[in-house]
Amino acid sequence: MLMCTRCKVVILVPGKSVADKRYNTIKHIMDTLSSGEVVVEGKHDVRTLSRLGISSITIGSFGKMQGDAKPVHLFIMMDLDKGGSIKECEAVSLAMERYPNCTIDTETGKRFLKMLNLTSIEQAYCPVREIIESGV
């Protein structure tokens, strides 16, 4: 709450703006994705996430991983299209077969893309950079 000293009017200021919440949520999702192993569709997705500071591997590389490299928390982040849905099912099946004790998260990546109103990981770089650079 603020008070204008000139006209003695009280101005109510809400706790957080929509931009603040969006910034905080995007930062939280990016930190969450950075805490585990992220599996994506292709090399362009790997490059985009790398530019945002998130390491990831393609589903093809994940399928070739040796059994001794056991992810504890696995994020499966595919595009929001039919092909992405099919590859997500493949990745989940592969992960359950090879790493039965790991936690599999398919929702964080979807939430990330939906918040940005995107269907593809490759499209995420510019919108995320704008949000982060604005600092709001």
Side-chain angles (χ1 to χ4, degrees):
M1 182 167 67
L2 299 173
M3 185 165 171
C4 178
T5 55
R6 196 174 87 195
C7 59
K8 307 290 185 208
V9 173
V10 175
I11 303 167
L12 296 176
V13 179
K16 288 191 173 194
S17 71
V18 173
D20 286 339
K21 290 178 184 176
R22 185 174 172 159
Y23 170 83
N24 289 333
T25 304
I26 291 293
K27 281 295 285 173
H28 176 71
I29 290 172
M30 290 174 63
D31 291 343
T32 300
L33 291 170
S34 295
S35 71
E37 185 74 48
V38 180
V39 179
V40 295
E41 287 185 50
K43 63 183 180 182
H44 298 289
D45 299 331
V46 169
R47 186 178 62 226
T48 299
L49 291 179
S50 175
R51 291 176 69 195
L52 294 172
I54 300 168
S55 66
S56 60
I57 60 171
T58 64
I59 190 171
S61 297
F62 178 67
K64 296 174 187 173
M65 280 177 59
Q66 297 298 332
D68 53 321
K70 297 177 182 171
V72 176
H73 200 96
L74 185 65
F75 295 97
I76 298 177
M77 187 174 178
M78 303 295 166
D79 293 343
L80 301 178
D81 58 12
K82 187 176 179 179
S85 180
I86 292 168
K87 289 179 182 174
E88 178 183 300
C89 290
E90 292 172 8
V92 168
S93 295
L94 187 61
M96 289 174 59
E97 177 184 307
R98 291 195 178 181
Y99 309 104
N101 296 325
C102 81
T103 304
I104 302 169
D105 180 335
T106 60
E107 294 306 311
T108 300
K110 289 177 186 174
R111 183 172 173 220
F112 181 74
L113 291 175
K114 287 178 181 178
M115 275 199 70
L116 298 167
N117 198 27
L118 303 174
T119 58
S120 166
I121 297 167
E122 292 175 53
Q123 301 167 332
Y125 181 75
C126 289
V128 170
R129 288 308 321 156
E130 286 177 14
I131 292 167
I132 299 302
E133 288 173 1
S134 72
V136 179

Short mmCIF file of all heavy atoms in Angstrom, two decimals, residues 1-2 11-18 20-21:
data_model
loop_
_atom_site.label_atom_id
_atom_site.label_comp_id
_atom_site.label_asym_id
_atom_site.label_seq_id
_atom_site.Cartn_x
_atom_site.Cartn_y
_atom_site.Cartn_z
N MET A 1 0.84 -1.17 0.00
CA MET A 1 0.00 0.00 0.00
C MET A 1 0.89 1.24 0.00
O MET A 1 1.83 1.33 0.78
CB MET A 1 -0.90 -0.03 1.24
CG MET A 1 -1.85 1.10 1.31
SD MET A 1 -3.15 0.90 2.55
CE MET A 1 -2.24 0.96 4.05
N LEU A 2 0.61 2.15 -0.88
CA LEU A 2 1.33 3.42 -0.98
C LEU A 2 0.36 4.57 -0.80
O LEU A 2 -0.82 4.46 -1.11
CB LEU A 2 2.01 3.55 -2.35
CG LEU A 2 3.05 2.51 -2.72
CD1 LEU A 2 3.46 2.71 -4.17
CD2 LEU A 2 4.24 2.60 -1.81
N ILE A 11 -2.95 4.23 -2.55
CA ILE A 11 -2.85 3.40 -3.75
C ILE A 11 -2.52 1.99 -3.31
O ILE A 11 -1.51 1.76 -2.64
CB ILE A 11 -1.74 3.92 -4.70
CG1 ILE A 11 -2.01 5.39 -5.06
CG2 ILE A 11 -1.64 3.04 -5.94
CD1 ILE A 11 -0.84 6.07 -5.71
N LEU A 12 -3.38 1.05 -3.66
CA LEU A 12 -3.14 -0.34 -3.31
C LEU A 12 -2.27 -0.98 -4.39
O LEU A 12 -2.58 -0.91 -5.57
CB LEU A 12 -4.46 -1.10 -3.19
CG LEU A 12 -5.40 -0.63 -2.08
CD1 LEU A 12 -6.70 -1.41 -2.15
CD2 LEU A 12 -4.75 -0.81 -0.73
N VAL A 13 -1.19 -1.62 -3.95
CA VAL A 13 -0.27 -2.27 -4.87
C VAL A 13 -0.31 -3.77 -4.56
O VAL A 13 -0.03 -4.16 -3.43
CB VAL A 13 1.17 -1.73 -4.71
CG1 VAL A 13 2.12 -2.44 -5.65
CG2 VAL A 13 1.19 -0.23 -4.91
N PRO A 14 -0.69 -4.60 -5.52
CA PRO A 14 -0.74 -6.03 -5.26
C PRO A 14 0.66 -6.59 -4.98
O PRO A 14 1.66 -5.98 -5.36
CB PRO A 14 -1.33 -6.63 -6.55
CG PRO A 14 -1.10 -5.59 -7.59
CD PRO A 14 -1.06 -4.26 -6.89
N GLY A 15 0.70 -7.74 -4.33
CA GLY A 15 1.97 -8.34 -3.91
C GLY A 15 2.93 -8.61 -5.06
O GLY A 15 4.08 -8.22 -5.02
N LYS A 16 2.47 -9.26 -6.08
CA LYS A 16 3.34 -9.58 -7.21
C LYS A 16 2.58 -9.39 -8.51
O LYS A 16 1.42 -9.74 -8.62
CB LYS A 16 3.83 -11.02 -7.13
CG LYS A 16 4.85 -11.26 -6.06
CD LYS A 16 5.46 -12.61 -6.23
CE LYS A 16 6.61 -12.77 -5.25
NZ LYS A 16 7.44 -13.89 -5.57
N SER A 17 3.28 -8.88 -9.48
CA SER A 17 2.66 -8.70 -10.79
C SER A 17 2.68 -10.03 -11.55
O SER A 17 3.39 -10.96 -11.18
CB SER A 17 3.41 -7.65 -11.59
OG SER A 17 4.67 -8.14 -11.99
N VAL A 18 1.93 -10.10 -12.62
CA VAL A 18 1.90 -11.28 -13.46
C VAL A 18 3.29 -11.53 -14.03
O VAL A 18 3.76 -12.67 -14.09
CB VAL A 18 0.87 -11.12 -14.60
CG1 VAL A 18 0.94 -12.26 -15.58
CG2 VAL A 18 -0.53 -11.00 -14.02
N ASP A 20 6.17 -10.75 -12.66
CA ASP A 20 7.01 -11.29 -11.59
C ASP A 20 6.77 -12.78 -11.41
O ASP A 20 7.70 -13.57 -11.29
CB ASP A 20 6.70 -10.60 -10.25
CG ASP A 20 7.26 -9.20 -10.16
OD1 ASP A 20 8.19 -8.87 -10.91
OD2 ASP A 20 6.75 -8.43 -9.32
N LYS A 21 5.50 -13.17 -11.40
CA LYS A 21 5.16 -14.58 -11.22
C LYS A 21 5.67 -15.42 -12.38
O LYS A 21 6.19 -16.52 -12.18
CB LYS A 21 3.65 -14.75 -11.07
CG LYS A 21 3.12 -14.21 -9.76
CD LYS A 21 1.61 -14.34 -9.67
CE LYS A 21 1.10 -13.71 -8.39
NZ LYS A 21 -0.36 -13.73 -8.31
#
